[in-house]
Amino acid sequence: MKQHLPLFLRKCALSLVALACTQASFAQIGLFNELEAGITIGPSNFLGDLGGNRGKGTGFLKDNNFSQTRFFIGGHITAYQSPLLGLRLAANYGTIAGDDAVIKGQGGWEEARRFRNTNFRSRVLEGMLVAEVYPTVLFEWDPEDLYRKFRPYGVIGVGVFNFNPQGTDPLTGEYVNLKPLSTEGQGFAEHPENKPYKLTQLNIPMGVGVKYFLSEKSSLSLEILHRKTFTDYIDDVSTNYIDPDLFDQYFGVGTQKAQLARRMANKTDQSSGASAGYGPGDKRGTPTQNDAYYSVNFKLSFKLARATNSSRQMKCPTLLRH
């Protein structure tokens, strides 16, 4: 993951610069009127197969585990066509996690997940292009008067994210990458239904927020941003347990990788030195429910430029022109 971070950040920086200059050009023909940029930071949580609360697992806030809260940080640049509508390009980096050990068993469906005893974490790199809609602008007497004004908004768009699920090896306590281990037989001929999953996927960011204008040129926003994804493997858990002998068949009998795959694929009972409890064909995850994650974002933004009614012209900020 570390080798991908600098390249990712460079691409995001270039994209932000390109949008700034593009917005400046569009401002000259009246398409965008205003440009702002800033930073984002806030807690993040995972909603998927691992962890959760009482009853059946879901991909909604019911199964939120606050003890698994991690953090995201990022940057954004937003172009406004009018006070009603903005177009935001953002890049974020952070972590999400889930752990069956935090489930509080109450004798229901959650007991099966708690007995599964699996955990994960993943670094997440994401970029997104979203629309910000400020509906209350339609009812404001003077939308240009911003000082100390609150303005609620909605967010929806499209994004791309990169993840890499890691789990704790019960033998060493260290985190190991899970995708190469094919814990559910991904890529094995015996399980053609389980295809190897890609670590870069699309998502749909959606949410709501409220923006407070500290001054005419700065603002502070609080928003809840949910990411709907199209994969159930952010936590490397989706379908059923497989025959552990397949790891010997594909990775070599008794090899270090085969032994590690056995330990990571079935962690229900390691006391005897071999996996026990759940067996081949038993439910390990719920493939009908894709994983999701969300963050509570604090956004500090500053206006970079503004088109005037007289000239309708805007230039790239000086730092972007050298």
Side-chain angles (χ1 to χ4, degrees), residues 33 41 49 51 53 55 65 89 94 102 144 183 206 238 271 297 309:
N33 297 328
I41 189 171
D49 291 284
N53 293 300
N65 294 130
L89 178 65
V102 304
E144 298 298 324
T183 55
M206 61 185 77
S238 180
S271 59
N297 300 329
N309 292 330

Side-chain angles (χ1 to χ4, degrees), residues 150 210-214 218-222 298-301:
F150 286 95
V210 61
K211 188 173 188 177
Y212 176 68
F213 292 90
L214 301 170
S218 63
S219 63
L220 182 64
S221 303
L222 173 64
F298 295 90
K299 295 170 61 248
L300 181 62
S301 304

Side-chain angles (χ1 to χ4, degrees), residues 235-254:
D235 53 9
D236 193 63
V237 174
S238 180
T239 59
N240 301 320
Y241 290 93
I242 67 170
D243 184 351
D245 289 339
L246 290 176
F247 298 125
D248 287 328
Q249 178 179 329
Y250 282 89
F251 301 147
V253 176

Side-chain angles (χ1 to χ4, degrees), residues 7 27 68 100 108 110 115 131 141 165-166 178 200 219 229 259 276-277 284 296 306 312:
L7 178 60
Q68 298 300 297
D100 290 333
E110 76 281 353
F115 184 63
W141 178 259
Q166 298 179 314
L178 295 172
T200 299
S219 63
T229 79
Q259 294 178 18
R284 190 169 186 258
V296 179
R306 180 182 178 88
R312 301 296 296 173

